[in-house]
Amino acid sequence: MLLEMANTKYALFAALIHVSANSILAAPQYSSRPPRMRKFPEHLKFGVATAAYQIEGGWDAADKSPNIWDVFVRKPGTIKDNSTGDDACLSYYYHKRDIKMMKFLDVDFYRFSISWSRILPTGFTNKISEAGKDYYNNLINDLLKNGIEPIATIYHWDLPQSLQDLGGWTSPNVVDWFGEYARVLYQLFGDRVKTWITLNEPKQFGVFGYGTSRFAPGIDAKGIGEYLAVKNLLLAHARAWHIYNDEFRSIQKGKCGITIATDFREGVTNSPEDVEAGEIAMDFEVGLYSHPIFSTEGGYPPRVIHRVAQKSKEQGYHKSRLPELSPEEIKYIRGTSDFYGFNHYSTRFYTTENYKKGTFPIPSYDDDIGAVGTYLDYERGAVIHTTVVPKGIRKALKWVKDTCNDPQIMITENGFSTFKGLNDSRRINYFIKYLDNILDSIELDKCNVVSYTAWSLMDNFEWDSGLITKFGLFETDYESKEKTRRARDSAFWYRHLLATRTLDPNYIVQRDDIAF
């Protein structure tokens, strides 16, 4: 029955979606002119971001319990340089230095994440860590004393290992676990934190963690695990939003939303097959998470429902590998975000040329998409997903406006990867080109962008790349006892940008040797 329903939905919506998606992507005229001097709108706020596991260190400090990354990094071959986040940047001990760096930049806000196992050592609410509570209270209070708005991410990939042992994000019980955890955070910090992000990049921790062995917890259950995680994380996000909306919003006067990785996907060529491949990839990579929350009808994107159902049937499954959302669940998830948290780094291109059965493992998420994704011959950063395609961020913002009911958009991550060194002119050039396209999206496409966040404040543990890849405005000296940070050229550039609220492609950085 599910297969027939999926086919019926596809028949009803496919033509409409194909036409509307083509019109969305074709409407703007993307300029190839070089960036020029421009003022930012007065309402646009600027900040920096980090994540708990990537910077805090103190992995076993006080009564904190292991999270899935603490365990994952100890498996041989998982991290390129065999490093761990055990120490990272030692921000658990030296958060005041981080704030001095932010004051140097003069940012409006700081986006950080809270470690679930540092606050709740058992993963459950039976024990709240006093040490964990003190750490985040001190961080939040010191931010506010320095005129910096705290923006807190509830979950940035570091599930307590105790909960992973019970099934993690593939267990429907995670909806309750996450809701209880979120309620504790609202109670402890919601009087001062007025912007909450429930989940950071659900695709990355769902697909890479449960459909491949790339990210923690490394459950390589291709074609099954990632879809179990998708349903549960959507419901968990909705649970956290409803708890805030029903129990805390009227008193705390804040907002709550989700951040979705929204790198753009499009066809390698303009052939109908490649154009459709790019649109399908956007449905899987972004729409699988945005459509249930932001669309008018809710639920998974129709093309995703159809493709997974059809592939499942061909593979001998008696029902779709994509768990069904009931009408009640669709209603419960729809509308549960006060803003669209938008992370963007690059654009990937898709083609069906030479694609045939068996190109990817069967079943798998990649096989369900049914096309090959690649990064074309553009300038590349230290990691491939920072390939420089500036017009892609404008296309992605326009896609969000047109497919997600024109939401308020908070750009919660954007950045470029390099290797070590204080002279990072390539990072500055990346920022200039991407900010120029963001201004086009605001001024020409009328996208409701309200904030921009540079990733990252400093070099940190960059997941499976370890300590090799550098994203920081400040360089972290991992050989020093206190993980000393030094301002890169990009830190001085960003400081000037924020001071003038002007994008000036001709500004020449004068760097001093400033260490924190």
Side-chain angles (χ1 to χ4, degrees):
M1 179 60 71
L2 291 176
L3 295 175
E4 285 78 359
M5 289 174 62
N7 286 329
T8 301
K9 285 185 178 181
Y10 184 76
L12 291 172
F13 290 111
L16 176 61
I17 291 172
H18 186 76
V19 171
S20 62
N22 277 330
S23 63
I24 288 168
L25 302 184
Q29 297 299 311
Y30 297 104
S31 174
S32 59
R33 59 159 177 75
R36 64 187 188 278
M37 182 177 288
R38 311 170 71 174
K39 293 291 289 185
F40 291 102
E42 292 184 6
H43 74 272
L44 191 68
K45 294 182 178 181
F46 289 90
V48 288
T50 63
Y53 185 75
Q54 294 180 269
I55 68 162
E56 285 181 0
W59 78 281
D60 60 352
D63 53 355
K64 179 188 170 295
S65 65
N67 63 51
I68 56 176
W69 276 92
D70 292 323
V71 174
F72 184 70
V73 295
R74 285 164 167 76
K75 298 178 182 179
T78 57
I79 309 302
K80 290 178 181 177
D81 61 355
N82 298 314
S83 61
T84 73
D86 289 4
D87 294 326
C89 304
L90 293 180
S91 289
Y92 179 72
Y93 302 101
Y94 301 117
H95 80 271
K96 290 182 183 294
R97 286 189 308 165
D98 299 348
I99 293 175
K100 288 180 181 179
M101 292 150 61
M102 291 179 236
K103 285 295 290 181
F104 173 82
L105 298 172
D106 198 21
V107 296
D108 298 312
F109 63 86
Y110 176 45
R111 180 193 170 207
F112 62 97
S113 77
I114 295 173
S115 168
W116 191 335
S117 59
R118 197 179 296 284
I119 286 290
L120 301 179
T122 68
F124 299 101
T125 58
N126 63 307
K127 180 182 180 182
I128 298 175
S129 169
E130 289 299 318
K133 185 169 66 174
D134 288 347
Y135 170 67
Y136 292 110
N137 269 327
N138 291 335
L139 172 61
I140 292 165
N141 291 340
D142 288 345
L143 285 168
L144 291 170
K145 286 176 186 176
N146 284 276
I148 301 169
E149 178 188 355
I151 294 179
T153 302
I154 297 173
Y155 184 77
H156 199 128
W157 306 0
D158 48 359
L159 188 74
Q161 183 61 39
S162 59
L163 300 185
Q164 179 55 43
D165 292 341
L166 298 174
W169 288 100
T170 62
S171 170
N173 293 310
V174 76
V175 179
D176 293 332
W177 303 336
F178 186 70
E180 292 167 2
Y181 163 53
R183 182 182 281 110
V184 166
L185 298 191
Y186 301 150
Q187 291 169 338
L188 292 177
F189 312 121
D191 59 327
R192 288 153 292 156
V193 174
K194 301 304 176 184
T195 302
W196 292 97
I197 296 169
T198 57
L199 304 175
N200 179 76
E201 296 187 343
K203 180 253 175 172
Q204 277 62 25
F205 73 80
V207 174
F208 294 160
Y210 294 90
T212 77
S213 58
R214 179 181 173 187
F215 282 0
I219 308 297
D220 191 359
K222 286 183 173 60
I224 305 291
E226 60 266 65
Y227 294 130
L228 293 175
V230 165
K231 177 175 180 177
N232 293 332
L233 65 84
L234 286 169
L235 288 168
H237 153 76
R239 177 68 57 83
W241 185 89
H242 281 291
I243 289 171
Y244 190 81
N245 190 60
D246 297 343
E247 301 176 27
F248 296 94
R249 186 189 300 275
S250 63
I251 299 171
Q252 297 181 352
K253 310 295 184 184
K255 57 186 178 180
C256 182
I258 190 171
T259 281
I260 299 171
T262 315
D263 278 10
F264 198 62
R265 304 295 190 241
E266 63 178 296
V268 169
T269 71
N270 290 323
S271 72
E273 295 79 12
D274 280 5
V275 169
E276 184 179 31
E279 294 168 0
I280 290 170
M282 279 299 286
D283 279 350
F284 273 84
E285 299 275 77
V286 185
L288 196 52
Y289 315 96
S290 65
H291 195 274
I293 298 169
F294 294 96
S295 71
T296 301
E297 63 273 20
Y300 304 125
R303 272 188 296 212
V304 173
I305 295 173
H306 168 76
R307 292 186 67 84
V308 180
Q310 190 63 40
K311 290 272 190 177
S312 299
K313 182 179 180 181
E314 293 170 2
Q315 294 155 6
Y317 292 88
H318 78 280
K319 65 177 182 179
S320 177
R321 290 177 280 103
L322 179 65
E324 185 178 14
L325 289 171
S326 70
E328 293 76 19
E329 289 169 335
I330 290 173
K331 182 178 179 181
Y332 188 72
I333 295 168
R334 188 175 64 239
T336 56
S337 196
D338 301 328
F339 54 85
Y340 188 109
F342 177 99
N343 286 2
H344 183 98
Y345 290 91
S346 188
T347 295
R348 199 174 187 207
F349 298 85
Y350 281 75
T351 183
T352 58
E353 185 179 2
N354 297 325
Y355 182 86
K356 59 182 183 295
K357 186 175 181 180
T359 301
F360 297 109
I362 298 173
S364 69
Y365 173 87
D366 289 321
D367 182 68
D368 290 338
I369 293 175
V372 177
T374 186
Y375 291 92
L376 298 182
D377 190 21
Y378 292 90
E379 178 188 357
R380 291 186 177 178
V383 290
I384 198 168
H385 67 268
T386 58
T387 298
V388 185
V389 191
K391 63 184 178 181
I393 197 167
R394 182 180 171 194
K395 292 182 178 182
L397 288 166
K398 184 68 163 58
W399 185 93
V400 170
K401 176 184 178 180
D402 290 343
T403 67
C404 298
N405 282 311
D406 193 14
Q408 183 184 86
I409 300 172
M410 295 174 59
I411 298 177
T412 44
E413 286 182 29
N414 178 236
F416 183 74
S417 62
T418 62
F419 297 109
K420 64 185 300 183
L422 299 179
N423 182 341
D424 60 342
S425 58
R426 293 179 65 211
R427 177 175 288 109
I428 294 171
N429 289 334
Y430 174 99
F431 281 138
I432 289 171
K433 292 173 182 177
Y434 274 71
L435 282 164
D436 188 56
N437 275 273
I438 290 168
L439 281 170
D440 280 347
S441 76
I442 295 171
E443 296 171 1
L444 303 178
D445 304 333
K446 308 304 179 184
C447 295
N448 187 16
V449 179
V450 298
S451 63
Y452 176 85
T453 314
W455 182 272
S456 174
L457 174 63
M458 60 195 143
D459 295 340
N460 51 58
F461 180 84
E462 191 53 41
W463 309 115
D464 60 336
S465 294
L467 303 178
I468 298 172
T469 299
K470 316 296 184 182
F471 275 91
L473 299 173
F474 293 83
E475 182 176 69
T476 302
D477 181 0
Y478 292 108
E479 300 302 318
S480 67
K481 183 178 178 181
E482 296 183 349
K483 313 300 180 189
T484 302
R485 301 88 141 95
R486 282 186 165 78
R488 286 195 168 102
D489 286 356
S490 58
F492 289 93
W493 175 85
Y494 200 50
R495 182 190 193 196
H496 179 265
L497 181 88
L498 271 57
T500 61
R501 301 284 159 156
T502 301
L503 181 66
D504 182 359
N506 299 314
Y507 173 68
I508 299 175
V509 173
Q510 300 294 322
R511 171 166 42 88
D512 294 326
D513 186 12
I514 296 180
F516 293 87

